């Protein structure tokens, strides 16, 4: 799979673009720049293969919550027709196979340097080039720098005192060992009940001797009703490729379903209950699409929240456990809403225990296990941290990027991320961030914003080439306007009401609390980007060579 030598074919000095990361974004960006524009581009990737998040997140139960026929590139009918998904929601190994299939079909690997971790990137104003340094000490330079590092790729292992003394084994779900973990007969602790923890717990419980789930914030979840795709369904999905693509590109969140044009109180209580019940039976993320005001009106949201809490109380047999699981403190879908395969049912098994660490927080990890504030100690052999990521900014800041005058990105974003369209930061010319903060990214089915960003960036670079423009840079006032618009879009929804969500950076101690993704919807975002381009890249400073020399 890995190919660490081929990128050496392109010499370090004649590169047009360096792309960091070989997930969906980096792969497609390479295709756009190399195969459509004929540029010399190389991808630097820390992992031993393509895949990005799907290369690292190999934890038990890892599966995408976008339906398989929509979690893939839409730009090529050939790719869509040739690839066949096996299940409604694709499992991690199948997604990784898909990504390798695409990389091979498009012959991408020859321009990807695997096992190459980037440790720095510095802009040289006089040369108008970026120089990227790798862990091995190599230096690669190019005119354009494009980060394709994903939104959820820097694992967040909470700094709990005593972890280094633990005599068992511990793992973070986002850095899962490739050989897997043998839970058979083991006493396992799982910390975290976000999308990851909710997927992992039922699978870990299948083999563990005992599973103890440590829950700090209770969470909603809707069944995925995952199942193999029947031959008829596969045929139907292939026949409807064009229609699916149009739907995905026209909806706010890039999924292949539309939001019903009715509000919660347009219908009677009984009718609403039946609608929710039907959505629950359908399963998946479209639960929230049953009404058009669930994500914007607290009163409307309360009806969905109550329905889902009732479901937890019906499924979980032990009333005390059910009460802890259903004691949810935020509106439904204000945090990323998980979907599951028998998560709440898992707590009906005699060898699965739930511990409420909201009322009795984790105080320390001891050599034998986990100790709570009350002094209660849970002895375990394995700890699984399903504790999420330093999301959206963590992986960018870690790259040690220095812009004009040596300005570190970490300094520019000291008070929280600021950029224009989620794509460019003032002071960092010719650098683009794919699905950076300020982009709709994580509020969408990811391939949709990824394709849009990569195409917009390629079109922008093409425009520069054709017009003799050497440098593009977001204007500070454009960033101010975009940050204000991102806040305005978030405040029109219930999203900021989940005060400890990673959308706000609240899961990482000390991180500035800024609502990061753009909540105004993918279709609207695309229109804004298209208009900016149509107006000659309005809001950006464009410089031709003679102007730069002044
Ligand atoms: P997450 O949503 O940030 O959840 C982390 C969990 O760990 C939360 O329950 C959090 O509790 C808990 N936690 C963190 N530090 C803790 C501590 N010191 N003590 C106790 N509990 C602690 O992370 P995630 O579940 O990995 O999901 C992140 C995102 O990845 C998702 O929202 C989604 O966008 C994506 N994802 C997608 C899929 C999919 O496509 N199916 C699957 C997995 C993940 P608090 O809530 O109290 O902070």
């Amino acid at each position: 799979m890995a190919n660490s030598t081929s990128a050496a074919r392109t010499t370090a000095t004649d590169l047009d673009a360096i792309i960091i990361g070989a997930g969906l974004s980096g792969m497609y960006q390479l295709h756009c720049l190399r195969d459509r524009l004929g540029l010399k581009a190389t991808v630097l990737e820390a992992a031993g293969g393509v895949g990005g998040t799907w290369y690292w997140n190999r934890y038990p139960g890892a599966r995408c919550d976008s339906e398989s026929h929509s979690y893939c590139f839409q730009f090529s009918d050939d790719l869509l027709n040739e690839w066949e998904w096996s299940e409604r929601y694709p499992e991690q190994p199948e997604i990784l196979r898909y990504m390798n299939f695409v990389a091979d079909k498009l012959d991408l690997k020859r321009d990807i340097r695997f096992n190459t971790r980037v440790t720095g990137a510095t802009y040289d104003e006089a040369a108008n080039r970026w120089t990227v340094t790798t862990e091995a000490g190599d230096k690669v330079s190019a005119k354009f720098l494009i980060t394709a590092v994903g939104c959820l790729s820097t694992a967040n292992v909470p700094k709990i005192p005593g972890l280094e003394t633990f005599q068992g084994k511990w793992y973070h779900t986002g850095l899962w060992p490739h050989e897997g973990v043998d839970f058979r007969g083991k006493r396992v602790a799982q910390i975290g009940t976000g999308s990851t923890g909710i997927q992992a717990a039922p699978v870990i419980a299948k083999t563990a001797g005992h599973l103890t789930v440590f829950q700090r914030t209770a969470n909603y979840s809707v069944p995925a009703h995952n199942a193999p795709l029947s031959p008829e369904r596969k045929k139907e999905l292939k026949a409807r490729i064009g229609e699916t693509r149009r739907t995905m590109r026209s909806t706010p969140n890039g999924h292949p379903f539309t939001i019903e044009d009715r509000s919660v109180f347009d219908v009677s209580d009984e009718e609403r209950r039946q609608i929710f019940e039907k959505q629950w039976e359908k399963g998946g993320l479209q639960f929230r699409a049953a009404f058009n005001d669930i994500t914007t009106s607290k009163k409307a949201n309360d009806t969905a929240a109550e329905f889902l809490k009732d479901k937890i109380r019906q499924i979980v047999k032990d009333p005390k456990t059910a009460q802890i699981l259903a004691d949810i403190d935020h509106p439904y879908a204000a945090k990323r809403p998980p979907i599951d395969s028998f998560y709440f049912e898992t707590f009906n098994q005699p060898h699965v225990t739930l511990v409420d660490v909201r009322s009795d927080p984790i105080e320390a990890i001891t050599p034998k296990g986990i100790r709570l504030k009350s002094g209660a100690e849970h002895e375990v052999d394995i700890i699984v941290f399903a504790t999420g990521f330093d999301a959206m900014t963590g992986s960018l800041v870690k790259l040690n990027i220095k812009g004009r005058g040596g300005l570190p990105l970490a300094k520019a974003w000291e008070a929280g991320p600021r950029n224009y369209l989620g794509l460019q930061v003032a002071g960092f010319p010719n650098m683009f961030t794919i699905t950076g903060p300020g982009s709709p990214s994580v509020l969408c089915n990811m391939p949709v914003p990824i394709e849009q960003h990569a195409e917009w960036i390629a079109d922008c670079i093409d425009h520069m080439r054709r017009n003799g423009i050497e440098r593009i840079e977001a204007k500070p006032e454009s960033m101010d306007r975009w940050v204000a618009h991102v806040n305005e879009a978030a405040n029109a929804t219930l999203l900021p009401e989940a005060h400890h969500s990673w959308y706000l950076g609240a899961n990482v101690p000390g991180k500035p609390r800024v609502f990061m993704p753009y909540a105004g919807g993918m279709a609207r975002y695309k229109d804004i980007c298209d208009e900016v381009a149509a107006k000659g890249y309005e809001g950006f400073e464009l410089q031709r060579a003679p102007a730069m020399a002044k």
Side-chain angles (χ1 to χ4, degrees):
M1 193 156 68
N3 178 354
S4 56
T5 54
S6 51
R9 274 184 235 153
T10 317
T11 63
T13 47
D14 66 354
L15 274 178
D16 296 302
I18 298 168
I19 300 161
I20 308 176
L24 285 173
S25 333
M27 285 168 52
Y28 187 47
Q29 190 68 77
L30 174 62
H31 177 59
C32 288
L33 297 184
R34 186 193 69 182
D35 304 332
R36 291 192 192 147
L37 301 190
L39 297 186
K40 285 186 178 163
T42 196
V43 179
L44 305 179
E45 168 57 60
V50 297
T53 195
W54 301 106
Y55 181 91
W56 301 105
N57 281 269
R58 297 173 189 236
Y59 61 85
R63 191 181 286 284
C64 188
D65 56 12
S66 297
E67 295 200 36
S68 52
H69 66 288
S70 68
Y71 195 79
C72 46
F73 288 122
Q74 295 293 318
F75 69 86
S76 154
D77 278 0
D78 287 348
L79 289 178
L80 282 165
N81 278 315
E82 212 173 307
W83 181 259
E84 193 149 279
W85 294 104
S86 67
E87 292 178 278
R88 178 178 177 187
Y89 294 98
E91 216 181 353
Q92 176 271 336
E94 190 169 29
I95 302 175
L96 203 52
R97 280 199 299 280
Y98 166 76
M99 292 176 76
N100 276 284
F101 153 79
V102 174
D104 292 337
K105 274 309 274 189
L106 303 178
D107 193 15
L108 298 177
K109 290 178 186 172
R110 70 185 156 92
D111 285 307
I112 304 176
R113 273 204 216 176
F114 294 107
N115 303 305
T116 303
R117 186 173 289 282
V118 169
T119 52
T122 303
Y123 178 67
D124 175 342
E125 190 161 9
N128 191 33
R129 287 181 81 78
W130 283 92
T131 299
V132 172
T133 322
T134 73
E135 202 169 43
D138 292 343
K139 286 191 188 319
V140 193
S141 91
K143 185 162 158 185
F144 295 101
L145 175 67
I146 299 159
T147 64
V149 291
C151 301
L152 297 156
S153 43
T154 295
N156 171 42
V157 179
K159 291 187 177 58
I160 304 173
L163 180 58
E164 68 291 352
T165 68
F166 182 55
Q167 285 168 358
K169 293 209 163 22
W170 66 267
Y171 308 93
H172 186 280
T173 49
L175 295 168
W176 203 254
H178 286 201
E179 63 281 11
V181 175
D182 186 358
F183 292 109
R184 277 174 304 176
K186 296 282 194 306
R187 296 166 303 172
V188 183
Q190 178 189 301
I191 304 177
T193 54
S195 303
T196 301
I198 281 175
Q199 286 185 333
V203 184
I204 295 174
K206 278 189 184 155
T207 55
H210 194 98
L211 171 65
T212 309
V213 176
F214 294 78
Q215 174 193 284
R216 187 165 67 183
T217 305
N219 217 338
Y220 302 94
S221 187
V222 170
H225 296 311
N226 183 49
L229 293 170
S230 65
E232 298 73 44
R233 177 71 176 147
K234 284 182 188 173
K235 218 168 133 196
E236 183 197 340
L237 290 171
K238 289 266 195 261
R240 292 168 61 181
I241 282 174
E243 193 187 323
T244 303
R245 182 189 291 132
R246 275 192 299 281
T247 306
M248 286 166 62
R249 290 184 177 166
S250 63
T251 56
N253 49 29
H255 284 287
F257 54 82
T258 49
I259 298 168
E260 293 294 337
D261 187 20
R262 65 178 166 218
S263 58
V264 158
F265 297 105
D266 283 349
V267 298
S268 70
D269 291 356
E270 180 48 27
E271 216 178 319
R272 186 180 321 115
R273 200 195 54 73
Q274 282 174 16
I275 290 169
F276 281 145
E277 198 61 56
K278 217 165 119 199
Q279 292 298 97
W280 175 270
E281 284 314 315
K282 262 197 225 164
L285 289 175
Q286 65 256 54
F287 185 86
R288 67 190 156 165
F291 296 100
N292 60 16
D293 51 353
I294 287 183
T295 55
T296 51
S297 153
K298 177 70 170 56
K299 229 172 131 209
N301 191 285
D302 284 346
T303 65
E306 236 0 89
F307 176 88
L308 293 172
K309 288 176 188 179
D310 268 348
K311 283 289 181 194
I312 299 173
R313 292 187 278 259
Q314 284 160 23
I315 295 168
V316 180
K317 296 203 173 91
D318 173 49
K320 194 163 166 251
T321 306
Q323 154 65 20
I324 298 168
L325 287 166
D327 187 15
I328 307 173
D329 65 356
H330 52 277
Y332 168 64
K335 279 182 154 190
R336 167 79 171 222
I339 64 174
D340 70 278
S341 297
F342 308 107
Y343 174 65
F344 295 116
E345 289 83 348
T346 301
F347 293 96
N348 292 333
Q349 299 180 49
H351 69 301
V352 179
T353 315
L354 179 70
V355 173
D356 173 15
V357 294
R358 166 80 61 209
S359 62
D360 190 2
I362 297 174
E363 192 170 67
I365 310 262
T366 66
K368 290 189 171 164
I370 296 176
R371 193 177 69 233
L372 307 183
K373 199 166 173 218
S374 64
E377 186 165 351
H378 295 266
E379 291 191 5
V380 292
D381 306 304
I382 297 175
I383 302 175
V384 173
F385 287 96
T387 45
F389 304 88
D390 181 352
M392 307 207 74
T393 54
S395 302
L396 288 169
V397 166
K398 218 167 63 177
L399 292 174
N400 191 19
I401 299 172
K402 292 191 176 122
R404 174 180 285 115
L407 175 71
L409 184 66
K411 179 98 184 128
W413 283 1
E414 217 169 19
R418 296 173 56 70
N419 61 19
Y420 181 37
L421 303 176
L423 290 168
Q424 258 221 345
V425 187
F428 298 79
N430 291 355
M431 178 181 101
F432 297 94
T433 53
I434 303 184
T435 64
S439 134
S441 66
V442 290
L443 298 177
C444 296
N445 173 30
M446 287 301 280
V448 179
I450 285 172
E451 281 191 16
Q452 185 272 348
H453 290 4
E455 287 168 8
W456 192 93
I457 292 166
D459 288 348
C460 174
I461 291 175
D462 192 33
H463 171 85
M464 290 173 71
R465 274 196 325 176
R466 283 186 287 105
N467 292 281
I469 296 161
E470 292 294 322
R471 189 149 65 198
I472 181 163
E473 183 179 353
K475 291 180 182 168
E477 58 271 26
S478 313
M479 292 207 304
D480 292 344
R481 275 201 310 276
W482 188 249
V483 170
H485 180 56
V486 169
N487 282 325
E488 178 193 37
N491 290 333
T493 71
L494 298 172
L495 288 162
E497 291 205 17
H499 303 293
H500 32 67
S501 88
W502 60 259
Y503 293 152
L504 272 165
N507 63 325
V508 176
K511 188 165 169 169
R513 293 202 178 192
V514 174
F515 193 86
M516 293 184 283
Y518 175 62
M522 186 58 218
R524 184 171 165 205
Y525 172 83
K526 183 180 182 306
D527 286 347
I528 295 171
C529 290
D530 288 350
E531 199 183 327
V532 164
K535 290 184 174 165
Y537 295 88
E538 188 181 48
F540 291 93
E541 186 81 47
L542 304 177
Q543 283 185 293
R544 291 192 163 74
M548 283 171 53
K550 277 182 195 158

